[in-house]
């Protein structure tokens, strides 16, 4: 695996020991703010660090940022480039050059809102030879994928795979017309989560889990679905949000249930673990020894609590249109709120930047 270590000769833009970080103002004009979750303090946001995140890029749950440089960017003769970059050290892992379709998705995401944001996920860490980088189209049943590192002429390129939503969810079993059903499946695929070498999309509204798997011996990925019972929601709650979380090869789901009277009030946090043998979610009494979860609208991740300098058996989460950082203690069933800064607007929702795993 080829990793460009040249950037390690220069000091990091932000110390990785301060991560996980919350970045406020991403993609917006005006001031940008960084908040270190372990140290609970606001940091100056170096312009070069923010530019790295803003420029034709997608942040992945493993910390790596997929960065695209269109042809002629900064130099009229420069070819198009794609690479994974560590936002803290600026290390690079080369990827095949992006084609016009992938570059167009990046440009659209920069100029539009969240509805135009493609999803990027890595099946394994970038240094693992089994790693596949997957970009999910936000509005069409299309996946783009490649393997990091390098390859021979004509073989090292992005591949395009078009899947059939109706093969995942049978329309006859749902009260939607075909177009609506396709859109719902495509949206659900936009939250693919890597665990144990496979990629999962929880389609709980249908009582199914979709699984995407890449085999070194096959050029075409395998996409299948299997029944998976929904986690019951108490009658006195609404379903606000949920997130899949991989924790040391085990798949969890975190549900946030809000009040029927106030959509912004979280009344209940539920954590379940996937029992792959029974194909069922089972209630988790805790997150496991020395584990902490971080959940935002982007993704959910698990870390070693002592490595991150965070409280074990806790879920750190953010809410839509809310600057607050919330910490739910799974054992105690209590939630604490931290204000990342008085100068940050209350409705400014942050993005999460993880140290590279």
């Amino acid at each position: 695996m080829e990793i460009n270590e040249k950037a390690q000769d220069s000091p990091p833009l932000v110390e990785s020991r301060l991560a996980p970080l919350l970045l406020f103002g991403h993609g917006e004009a005006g001031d940008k703010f960084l908040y270190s979750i372990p140290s609970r303090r606001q940091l100056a946001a170096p312009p070069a660090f923010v530019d790295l995140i803003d420029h034709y890029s997608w942040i992945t749950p493993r910390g790596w940022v997929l960065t695209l440089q269109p042809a002629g960017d900064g130099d009229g003769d420069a070819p198009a480039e794609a690479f994974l970059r560590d936002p803290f050290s600026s290390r690079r892992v080369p990827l095949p050059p992006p084609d016009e379709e992938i570059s167009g998705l990046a440009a659209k995401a920069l100029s539009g809102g969240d509805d135009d944001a493609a999803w990027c996920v890595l099946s394994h860490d970038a240094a693992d030879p089994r790693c596949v980088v997957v970009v999910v189209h936000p509005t069409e049943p299309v996946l783009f994928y490649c393997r990091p590192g390098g390859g021979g002429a004509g073989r090292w390129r992005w591949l395009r795979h078009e899947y059939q939503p109706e093969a995942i969810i049978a329309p006859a079993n749902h009260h939607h017309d075909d177009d609506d059903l396709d859109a719902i499946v495509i949206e659900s695929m936009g939250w693919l989560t890597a665990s144990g070498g496979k990629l999962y999309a929880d389609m709980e509204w249908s009582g199914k889990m979709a699984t995407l798997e890449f085999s070194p011996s096959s050029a075409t990925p395998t996409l299948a679905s299997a029944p998976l019972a929904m986690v019951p929601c108490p009658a006195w709650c609404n379903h606000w949000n949920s997130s899949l979380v991989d924790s040391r090869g085990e798949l969890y789901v975190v549900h946030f249930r809000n009040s029927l009277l106030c959509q912004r009030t979280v009344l209940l946090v539920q954590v379940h673990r996937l029992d792959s043998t029974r194909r069922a979610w089972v209630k988790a009494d805790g997150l496991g020894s020395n584990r902490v979860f971080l959940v935002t609208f982007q993704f959910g991740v698990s870390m070693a609590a002592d490595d991150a300098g965070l409280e074990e058996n806790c879920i750190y989460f953010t809410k839509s249109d809310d600057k607050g950082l919330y910490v739910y203690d799974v054992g105690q069933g209590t939630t604490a709120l931290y204000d990342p800064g008085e100068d940050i607007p209350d409705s400014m929702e942050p993005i999460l930047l993880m140290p590279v795993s």
Side-chain angles (χ1 to χ4, degrees):
M1 179 63 60
E2 179 186 352
I3 297 181
N4 185 345
E5 302 288 352
K6 183 178 180 180
Q8 292 187 342
D9 297 334
S10 304
L13 298 173
V14 177
E15 294 286 348
S16 60
R17 61 181 175 80
L18 296 172
L21 294 173
L22 296 179
L23 172 61
F24 293 87
H26 171 66
E28 300 178 9
D31 294 335
K32 307 290 193 294
F33 305 90
L34 285 174
Y35 178 78
S36 169
I37 297 178
S39 64
R40 295 181 189 169
R41 62 188 177 94
Q42 192 177 130
L43 310 171
F49 182 84
V50 175
D51 288 346
L52 183 155
I53 303 299
D54 278 344
H55 187 78
Y56 284 84
S57 63
W58 291 293
I59 299 166
T60 74
R62 295 185 183 274
W64 293 98
V65 178
L66 170 58
T67 301
L68 306 182
Q69 290 187 344
D73 188 34
D75 184 339
D77 297 326
E81 286 186 287
F83 45 85
L84 297 173
R85 180 153 47 179
D86 179 344
F88 297 95
S89 70
S90 292
R91 290 181 301 157
R92 293 187 181 188
V93 177
L95 299 176
D99 59 22
E100 291 184 2
E101 191 171 12
I102 297 175
S103 296
L105 285 180
K108 189 176 181 182
L110 283 178
S111 61
D114 292 340
D115 292 341
D116 296 318
W119 175 250
C120 179
V121 63
L122 279 62
S123 64
H124 300 76
D125 181 64
D128 192 313
R130 299 169 295 175
C131 179
V132 178
V133 181
V134 182
V135 173
V136 184
H137 198 292
T139 58
E140 297 178 15
V142 174
L143 306 171
F144 304 94
Y145 62 98
C146 70
R147 295 185 185 273
R155 293 191 297 111
W156 196 46
R157 61 188 177 89
W158 287 90
L159 299 175
R160 187 181 193 275
H161 175 68
E162 187 167 345
Y163 60 92
Q164 302 299 320
E166 61 270 19
I168 302 174
I169 304 296
N173 297 333
H174 297 276
H175 303 293
H176 302 282
D177 61 38
D178 290 348
D179 290 341
D180 286 345
L181 184 63
D182 285 359
I184 296 171
V185 172
I186 291 168
E187 181 181 1
S188 297
M189 288 293 290
W191 302 100
L192 280 173
T193 299
S195 182
K198 299 179 182 180
L199 300 173
Y200 296 89
D202 187 9
M203 302 190 181
E204 61 173 346
W205 47 272
S206 69
K208 289 190 174 183
M209 175 79 82
T211 304
L212 179 67
E213 191 170 5
F214 293 86
S215 169
S217 60
S218 175
T220 304
T222 302
L223 179 58
S225 64
L228 183 65
M230 295 173 61
V231 175
C233 181
W236 41 270
C237 286
N238 280 335
H239 177 188
W240 169 55
N241 188 24
S242 65
S243 180
L244 295 180
V245 179
D246 168 64
S247 186
R248 294 180 289 192
E250 289 193 299
L251 194 63
Y252 289 74
V253 64
V254 179
H255 285 282
F256 299 94
R257 312 292 191 179
N258 60 13
S259 167
L260 291 170
L261 300 177
C262 178
Q263 297 294 318
R264 300 182 63 83
T265 302
V266 177
L267 295 181
L268 179 66
V269 180
Q270 297 175 302
V271 185
H272 289 75
R273 179 179 54 81
L274 180 64
D275 184 325
S276 56
T277 302
R278 295 164 49 192
R279 296 296 305 174
W281 292 115
V282 295
K283 183 179 179 182
D285 295 328
L287 306 182
S289 176
N290 191 34
R291 303 311 293 180
V292 58
F293 288 2
L294 297 101
V295 179
T296 70
F297 73 95
Q298 302 160 265
F299 43 69
V301 293
S302 168
M303 295 185 69
D306 54 5
D307 288 347
L310 302 176
E311 294 293 329
E312 70 173 316
N313 208 34
C314 286
I315 300 173
Y316 291 69
F317 68 96
T318 61
K319 298 194 297 185
S320 177
D321 299 323
D322 189 333
K323 72 175 180 179
L325 174 65
Y326 297 83
V327 184
Y328 175 74
D329 186 311
V330 177
Q332 299 295 324
T334 57
T335 302
L337 168 63
Y338 297 100
D339 185 347
E342 294 182 356
D343 48 353
I344 299 176
D346 289 344
S347 62
M348 184 177 283
E349 185 177 350
I351 63 172
L352 177 65
L353 298 174
M354 297 292 297
V356 166
S357 61

